[in-house]
Amino acid sequence: MVDDSKINLLDLDKVRLEGFFSDLNEKAFRARQVLTWIHQRFVTDFGVMTDLSKSLRDQLAEIATITLPVIEHGYLSADGTYKWLLRLFDGNCIETVFIPEEGRGTLCVSSQVGCVLNCSFCATGKQGFSRNLQVSEIIGQVWLANNALGRDPKGERIITNVVMMGMGEPLANFNHVVAAMNLMLDDFAYGLSWRRVTLSTAGMVPAMDRLRAECPVNLAVSLHAPTDDLRDELVPLNKKYPLRALLAACRRYVSGDKRRAVTFEYVMLEGINDSLQHAQLLARLLQDLPAKVNLIPFNPFPNTIYRCSSIDTINQFRERLLQKGVMTVTRKTRGDDIAAACGQLAGRVQDRTHRALRYQSLANSQTLSA
Ligand code: SAH
């Protein structure tokens, strides 16, 4: 249980921690000291923070905590991908995935318990939605994974990149996600460059502009279709923010900075969005944008109506985009044997939308009538 009478310092980025210490009539540099203890030395006991005075340590123990999610389970994939199931104070569970690659290690972080968006091809959406994660629950994933994985023999952190691509729509939990990313970027915490922190959105247009203004990390957009008709079907949020508005927001996001490009994610669904004509339309859509396309082989989950496109189809689709001058890579499927791949994260969601139930009964009736 969390002690509500105490403030969890893991919920505070540097600016807020400075505010906290100034309220205690302490100097701003206390914030930097405490950030270092928490996020670089992984200390959760105020008693150990020896560069703080004894009286301040006692006062912190009285009024504050450093409380993390609890590791309920860890799963190791045959390909080295590792997934943590984390239990939150209210019994909900979320998932965090570590993906080791040559020369880098990427942590895929969740932002919500479940998701409200209900994209038709995503397992997280089918779980329904419970709530937004607290800052402590978002940065807590980074803390736990870094603490578990540590550093390589050269002293470099094993986790070199963070992608906000786990459960949930990060821009729907804007303030908490930005505070957590501030900590990822803070030299007194995780010290990652903005290029190594990527936020993926299904296209919440106004929040994309806010992100550019407040915390301009790398942007990925889940596109999945080159026309509004098809995208309305796959990503229902498209009805609110259609392609024209979405691409205009992408242009604003990269404008004025030549180092920036938007990554567009495109899940390959057999017979749905994977024809050469779709590739052609996609290339046209992206022609005047610094863009990279990431083709994601569809990862199946129970009761889905979709299938993944064949390798040949994916290759031809990629070739066509490359011919048209669009930088395109196919994302390697990782961790699918432990249900850790894109779109497979489900955690344990106390669904308040009852969507999981409706989806289950729909799937049952389809099986019955098939
Ligand atoms: N809500 C955000 C963050 C989730 S990121 C977003 O939509 O971008 C997870 C990525 O995996 C998204 O690009 C999502 O569209 C993709 N994805 C979802 N379900 C998938 C599936 N079953 N197979 C492959 N990719 C999937």
Side-chain angles (χ1 to χ4, degrees), residues 115 117 119 121-123 164-166 168-170 200-202 220-222 224 265 267 296-301 331 342-344:
C115 189
L117 294 184
C119 298
F121 51 86
C122 178
M164 297 301 305
M165 293 188 188
E169 167 52 48
S200 179
T201 178
V221 170
S222 292
H224 307 314
E265 293 149 297
V267 63
I296 315 179
F298 171 66
N299 294 305
F301 52 88
R331 191 180 286 173
C342 300
Q344 291 186 318

Side-chain angles (χ1 to χ4, degrees), residues 214-271:
E214 293 181 31
C215 190
V217 294
N218 232 345
L219 182 69
V221 170
S222 292
L223 197 63
H224 307 314
T227 62
D228 279 319
D229 277 354
L230 183 55
R231 195 162 190 270
D232 282 352
E233 222 177 273
L234 301 178
V235 183
L237 183 67
N238 195 66
K239 295 180 193 137
K240 194 160 181 192
Y241 304 114
L243 284 172
R244 180 199 274 273
L246 177 58
L247 290 164
C250 292
R251 257 176 233 116
R252 291 194 293 277
Y253 200 88
V254 294
S255 74
D257 188 343
K258 287 204 169 55
R259 299 165 303 171
R260 287 181 184 272
V262 178
T263 301
F264 290 94
E265 293 149 297
Y266 195 99
V267 63
M268 296 298 288
L269 304 169
E270 184 178 73

Side-chain angles (χ1 to χ4, degrees), residues 184-213:
M184 295 173 204
L185 302 174
D186 199 310
D187 283 340
F188 293 97
Y190 299 93
L192 295 173
S193 117
W194 65 267
R195 294 160 186 276
R196 292 181 176 272
V197 178
T198 300
L199 180 144
S200 179
T201 178
M204 299 196 61
V205 164
M208 289 164 67
D209 289 321
R210 253 186 95 190
L211 185 69
R212 182 69 171 90

